Amino acid sequence: MTPNNKIYYSNGKLLLTGEYLVLAGALALAIPTKQGQSLEIKATEDVSFNWESKVLNESMLKLNSITGEYADIASNKPEYASYLLNVLKAAQELSPDFNLRSVSAYAQINFNTAWGLGSSSSLISNVADWAGVDPFELHFKVSDGSGYDVACAKAKRPVLYMVVGKSPTYTEIDFNPYFKDQLYFVYLGAKQDSAGEVAKFRKKTPNASDIQSMNELTNEIATSVDLNSFNYLIREHERLMSGILGMKTLKSDRFSHFDGEMKSLGAWGGDFALVTFKHGRQALQKEIEKKGLTTLFAYEEMSLY
């Protein structure tokens, strides 16, 4: 199957509620981000396959096969290539007509991959589009994650997401709080191993009341109409997850005197945090710099919607 020249694009993601428990069937709120990944496919005149991934215009990974077959693929970074090849092979299992012959592929990630915004999920979504397969089927062949990030990859608005077994359901919603000018994302400087954290959590068995509590919190956060109630719900969310994980909340552990609220996003201990702060961006920048942190985004700089 010789491809036409095409460009695919998928959004990044941030999980605002339901971290960890979404793996056990809880309702979660996630947003697609303005940051994402593109994949350009070009047909070539010979049978070779070439791939290059760039991050912020800097080359990260190259691989090639002069026959267009997996057997002779060579790469400059085998440790990165193995994941990509796993995704490509899984796509071929889902669509036997999909192959790598006569293709030059160019992936461009427009965010720092240390930020955990979905370099893997946006790759899966783009490859699924290229291969003409269902992105969730491809995701569940190569990942043990919930798939909320795959939902975000093509979403236009925030999503309420739930997965039972391997059957995902999600709805795009109008989560666009009027107090969003007081919402920020702070990078905590320690990208977590998502696959490892997922594997550890799957050894736990959350009880039904925890799932129900998370469902209620997610719905209330998604419909929150003022910052005071939003802050209360963030504290309740952190308290719930702190008890389940046996870990201190971000605020109590690292920002005990902070004049606002903080909520861990994704795997606790790294990645981004959602922050509420009433005193403006400049003041917040000074506050986080006291803790050795520098990367700060306003909500609207990150959220696609």
Side-chain angles (χ1 to χ4, degrees), residues 183-220:
L183 302 182
Y184 300 87
F185 297 107
V186 175
Y187 180 58
L188 299 175
K191 180 176 178 1
Q192 299 296 86
D193 174 12
S194 297
E197 293 299 308
V198 166
K200 283 197 294 186
F201 181 76
R202 287 203 181 276
K203 295 177 182 178
K204 302 177 183 287
T205 306
N207 60 49
S209 65
D210 289 337
I211 301 295
Q212 181 60 32
S213 294
M214 181 57 70
N215 292 349
E216 292 171 2
L217 281 168
T218 291
N219 277 318
E220 289 174 5

Side-chain angles (χ1 to χ4, degrees), residues 102-159:
S102 304
V103 169
S104 286
Y106 304 91
Q108 174 71 258
I109 300 169
N110 67 8
F111 57 86
N112 186 332
T113 55
W115 290 346
L117 294 183
S119 54
S120 296
S121 55
S122 54
L123 170 69
I124 288 170
S125 175
N126 285 338
V127 170
D129 282 349
W130 173 25
V133 302
D134 183 277
F136 288 103
E137 285 190 59
L138 182 57
H139 162 80
F140 287 121
K141 283 184 73 70
V142 300
S143 172
D144 198 32
S146 71
Y148 83 88
D149 43 6
V150 175
C152 286
K154 287 295 189 289
K156 305 294 185 188
R157 299 180 296 168
V159 298

Side-chain angles (χ1 to χ4, degrees), residues 12-285:
K13 51 70 182 180
L14 279 172
L15 187 63
L16 300 191
T17 74
E19 66 270 12
Y20 294 99
L21 287 181
V22 68
L23 297 164
L27 186 67
L29 171 64
I31 61 168
T33 64
K34 291 177 177 175
Q35 297 77 8
Q37 179 171 186
S38 62
L39 176 62
E40 183 177 8
I41 303 298
K42 293 184 176 180
T44 60
E45 294 182 358
D46 57 25
V47 296
S48 66
F49 170 65
N50 298 280
W51 178 289
E52 182 175 17
S53 291
K54 290 185 175 182
V55 179
L56 298 172
N57 292 315
E58 293 290 328
S59 185
M60 179 185 73
L61 170 67
K62 292 182 178 180
L63 49 82
N64 68 282
S65 163
I66 59 173
T67 65
E69 301 292 340
Y70 292 104
D72 71 337
I73 284 181
S75 171
N76 65 331
K77 294 184 178 177
E79 68 276 18
Y80 293 151
S82 60
Y83 180 80
L84 170 60
L85 292 174
N86 190 33
V87 173
L88 293 172
K89 289 175 181 177
Q92 191 168 23
E93 290 173 9
L94 293 171
S95 176
D97 290 336
F98 173 67
N99 64 71
L100 308 182
R101 290 188 295 276
S102 304
V103 169
S104 286
Y106 304 91
Q108 174 71 258
I109 300 169
N110 67 8
F111 57 86
N112 186 332
T113 55
W115 290 346
L117 294 183
S119 54
S120 296
S121 55
S122 54
L123 170 69
I124 288 170
S125 175
N126 285 338
V127 170
D129 282 349
W130 173 25
V133 302
D134 183 277
F136 288 103
E137 285 190 59
L138 182 57
H139 162 80
F140 287 121
K141 283 184 73 70
V142 300
S143 172
D144 198 32
S146 71
Y148 83 88
D149 43 6
V150 175
C152 286
K154 287 295 189 289
K156 305 294 185 188
R157 299 180 296 168
V159 298
L160 285 175
Y161 182 90
M162 179 182 287
V163 61
V164 179
K166 291 188 176 181
S167 299
T169 60
Y170 63 97
T171 305
E172 294 190 22
I173 64 169
D174 290 317
F175 177 70
N176 192 25
Y178 83 88
F179 49 85
K180 64 187 176 185
D181 62 332
Q182 297 176 70
L183 302 182
Y184 300 87
F185 297 107
V186 175
Y187 180 58
L188 299 175
K191 180 176 178 1
Q192 299 296 86
D193 174 12
S194 297
E197 293 299 308
V198 166
K200 283 197 294 186
F201 181 76
R202 287 203 181 276
K203 295 177 182 178
K204 302 177 183 287
T205 306
N207 60 49
S209 65
D210 289 337
I211 301 295
Q212 181 60 32
S213 294
M214 181 57 70
N215 292 349
E216 292 171 2
L217 281 168
T218 291
N219 277 318
E220 289 174 5
I221 287 172
T223 56
S224 186
V225 295
D226 64 79
L227 187 61
N228 287 337
S229 60
F230 191 79
N231 282 338
Y232 168 77
L233 293 166
I234 283 179
R235 291 193 295 271
E236 287 299 294
H237 193 297
E238 288 282 271
R239 183 191 60 76
L240 174 64
M241 291 310 306
S242 174
I244 292 170
L245 297 174
M247 297 172 65
K248 289 183 178 180
T249 66
L250 174 62
K251 186 173 178 179
S252 65
D253 188 37
R254 297 173 63 179
F255 296 87
S256 57
H257 300 295
F258 181 71
D259 185 18
E261 290 302 330
M262 290 191 158
K263 182 192 173 302
S264 295
L265 304 181
W268 277 34
D271 297 344
F272 276 91
L274 173 65
V275 175
T276 72
F277 193 70
K278 298 179 179 180
H279 309 298
R281 182 179 187 138
Q282 244 182 339
L284 179 56
Q285 189 74 49

